[in-house]
Amino acid sequence: MTTAPAETEKRRLSGRLGPVGIVFMVVAAAAPLTVIGGNMPLAMGLGNGAGAPVGFAIAALVLLVFSVGFVTMTPHVPEAGAFFSYVTVGLGERMGKGIAVVALIAYTAIQVGIYGYIGWAISDTVAHYHGPVIAWPVYSFVVLVIVAVLGYRHIELSAKVLGVALALEIGIVVVLDTVMVAKPGPAGVTFTSFAPATFTQGTLGIAILFALTGFIGFEATAVFRDEARDPEQTIPRATYAAVIIIGAFYAITVWAFVVAVGPDQVATVAQKTLAGEGNMLLDTTGDMLGIVGRDIVNVLLLSSLFACVLSFHNVIARYQFVLAGKGLLPARLATVHDDHESPSFSSLVQTATAAIIVALLAILGIDPLVGVFGSMAGVATVGMVLLMLTTSVAVLVFFLRNRELRTDHLWTTRIAPALAVLGLLGSLWLVLSNFTLVTGGSATLSTVLAAIPFLGLVVGFVAWRPSRALSAN
């Protein structure tokens, strides 16, 4: 049972999520094992080979600088909605609605992409163990139903599920990292990855690009504001912790693979993975941990994908909930379940939206990896960088207009947001100039896909109309 739309303004989501629970949501959305299995070979094979760990470190540094202004502005944005709410406060309601459309496009795209990826991965795994050959959409819809059930209920149930999956996922990678460093390749334990002569070879920008893709879902720290135990303390701690944990996890693990394979061979091994002649993650795991270890990582890769898609489902449902409460979407989406205290109707609508898109792609016969995951990840990456760039501009403008707020903190209110704007402009250029590598499609198709988030921003900006709900806030 849900509250009636007329009662929506009286009801807010509630919960007692602490920093750890929210960090689980964010790190799960980042899907560490998925990134190591997919983005790492791309960064090494197409980018700068053994210097790829530096690309991941730079991406984490850009996001850490972004987080400074984001966290500093948090006390002045007393509602959930993350980037949409920050942009609305800093740049106005019209731009806020535009960026809200971008967020919905970006998160819907990556979620659909993950449904394609996990459907293919389960099908491939079953076939590997000589099971029946079943089309990927069947597995995708089974996962979709499970996500729908968890997303409908209270957020703390999802947090517990994500916590278990994430703990297992990170645990096996820590074991793998330790063994790889203990049993190094022909060059021994080497730090050549961090030498300028190494990481400047090839294309460092491509490594940064694929590292940034691995941070999609970053803003979830603020999306769960209403369900946090103490938002003023929880959100900042969770934000910094998430960036540091994700960034360190990626950089250290990618470096460990360089140590295990050898800096001279790692680019070649990565390129063979991209050519379908091997699997860098699973093959290296098999060498280090044996067949059992390889099988465990394969299973945890599936749980990583599941945790990722569940986290994105929760984020999108809450985005719709907040926008409905602001009068930008139908009021029914802002209803709260009486028992589960969740955005239940929004969750159901999100499930239906994902199901329709996945079904359409399946009927059209789109390849689940290159066609579904590759193209959707590309759209989401452009959207994510655009979201963070606009938010950084909003932070900078907000504190310039309100000089009486924290005027003695130039670093947090002026310098860091300005540096974030510059860093994200550079990141956006890297993404767009190498976009065909992300999508795996033609230049024409890549251009159309890259334009979608920008078109969403324009549509939201132009279509904005002042409403009673907005005026009241």
Side-chain angles (χ1 to χ4, degrees):
M1 179 179 180
T2 56
T3 59
E7 299 174 353
T8 298
E9 295 183 0
K10 300 179 182 179
R11 296 293 304 275
R12 299 184 67 174
L13 298 177
S14 63
R16 294 189 54 78
L17 289 175
V20 174
I22 294 179
V23 168
F24 277 151
M25 295 288 181
V26 179
V27 180
L33 195 55
T34 303
V35 171
I36 297 304
N39 294 38
M40 180 183 69
L42 289 165
M44 290 178 170
L46 300 177
N48 59 344
V54 175
F56 283 87
I58 291 175
L61 180 61
V62 170
L63 294 183
L64 200 56
V65 173
F66 164 82
S67 299
V68 174
F70 183 71
V71 164
T72 303
M73 190 173 170
T74 295
H76 308 289
V77 186
E79 64 178 358
F83 294 155
F84 154 73
S85 299
Y86 286 71
V87 172
T88 298
V89 172
L91 301 179
E93 294 165 355
R94 186 182 290 273
M95 182 60 76
K97 184 174 182 181
I99 213 65
V101 175
V102 174
L104 287 177
I105 289 173
Y107 281 107
T108 298
I110 191 61
Q111 187 195 35
V112 169
I114 295 296
Y115 275 126
Y117 193 158
I118 196 171
W120 170 85
I122 296 175
S123 177
D124 184 67
T125 299
V126 172
H128 176 76
Y129 293 109
H130 310 293
V133 177
I134 300 176
W136 68 267
V138 175
Y139 293 111
S140 295
F141 275 100
V142 170
V143 172
L144 192 148
V145 170
I146 298 172
V147 168
V149 173
L150 292 173
Y152 186 84
R153 299 175 66 84
H154 196 280
I155 188 62
E156 290 181 3
L157 176 59
S158 292
K160 291 175 182 177
V161 172
L162 292 175
V164 173
L166 189 59
L168 294 172
E169 178 182 348
I170 291 180
I172 192 64
V173 176
V174 170
V175 171
L176 179 60
D177 289 350
T178 303
V179 174
M180 286 192 293
V181 174
K183 297 169 55 178
V189 178
T190 173
F191 294 94
T192 187
S193 294
F194 305 99
T198 300
F199 67 73
T200 55
Q201 290 182 348
T203 308
L204 175 61
I206 292 179
I208 296 174
L209 182 160
F210 285 110
L212 284 171
T213 305
F215 281 88
I216 293 177
F218 165 75
E219 71 164 314
T221 54
V223 171
F224 297 105
R225 180 185 182 88
D226 288 345
E227 293 153 288
R229 183 182 305 130
D230 181 5
E232 299 296 326
Q233 297 293 328
T234 300
I235 302 305
R237 290 174 181 173
T239 301
Y240 285 128
V243 174
I244 293 171
I245 291 172
I246 295 172
F249 185 90
Y250 288 160
I252 292 173
T253 301
V254 174
W255 167 74
F257 272 87
V258 173
V259 170
V261 178
D264 295 332
Q265 295 81 28
V266 71
T268 301
V269 173
Q271 288 163 3
K272 288 183 178 179
T273 298
L274 301 181
E277 299 173 3
N279 187 309
M280 190 173 188
L281 170 61
L282 296 181
D283 292 344
T284 304
T285 300
D287 293 338
M288 296 292 154
L289 302 179
I291 296 177
V292 174
R294 187 186 191 280
D295 290 342
I296 292 174
V297 168
N298 194 15
V299 171
L300 291 179
L301 176 60
L302 299 181
S303 70
S304 173
L305 288 166
F306 176 78
C308 179
V309 79
L310 174 59
S311 182
F312 283 130
H313 174 95
N314 285 324
V315 170
I316 298 170
R318 279 150 186 79
Y319 245 115
Q320 293 175 161
F321 176 88
V322 172
L323 294 178
K326 298 286 286 184
L328 301 178
L329 288 177
R332 181 73 187 278
L333 289 168
T335 55
V336 180
H337 197 283
D338 287 336
D339 296 326
H340 302 307
E341 297 183 315
S342 64
S344 53
F345 186 76
S346 179
S347 179
L348 291 175
V349 170
Q350 207 290 302
T351 297
T353 301
I356 291 171
I357 298 175
V358 171
L360 179 61
L361 294 172
I363 292 172
L364 293 175
I366 305 298
D367 180 81
L369 284 183
V370 177
V372 179
F373 178 72
S375 59
M376 293 297 100
V379 173
T381 301
V382 173
M384 170 202 153
V385 178
L386 184 59
L387 284 166
M388 292 197 300
L389 174 60
T390 310
T391 301
S392 291
V393 173
V395 173
L396 190 59
V397 170
F398 175 78
F399 285 112
L400 286 174
R401 288 178 175 173
N402 298 274
R403 296 179 182 275
E404 72 281 2
L405 299 174
R406 305 184 68 124
T407 54
D408 57 330
H409 293 75
L410 290 179
W411 164 249
T412 59
T413 61
R414 308 286 197 280
I415 300 175
L419 290 175
V421 169
L422 294 176
L424 289 165
L425 279 173
S427 299
L428 184 60
W429 178 81
L430 288 174
V431 172
L432 294 177
S433 61
N434 296 283
F435 199 62
T436 54
L437 296 175
V438 181
T439 64
S442 65
T444 301
L445 175 62
S446 297
T447 300
V448 171
L449 292 173
I452 291 176
F454 293 96
L455 290 175
L457 178 62
V458 172
V459 169
F461 186 89
V462 172
W464 176 83
R465 293 290 185 275
S467 69
R468 186 178 304 172
L470 283 169
S471 302
N473 287 277

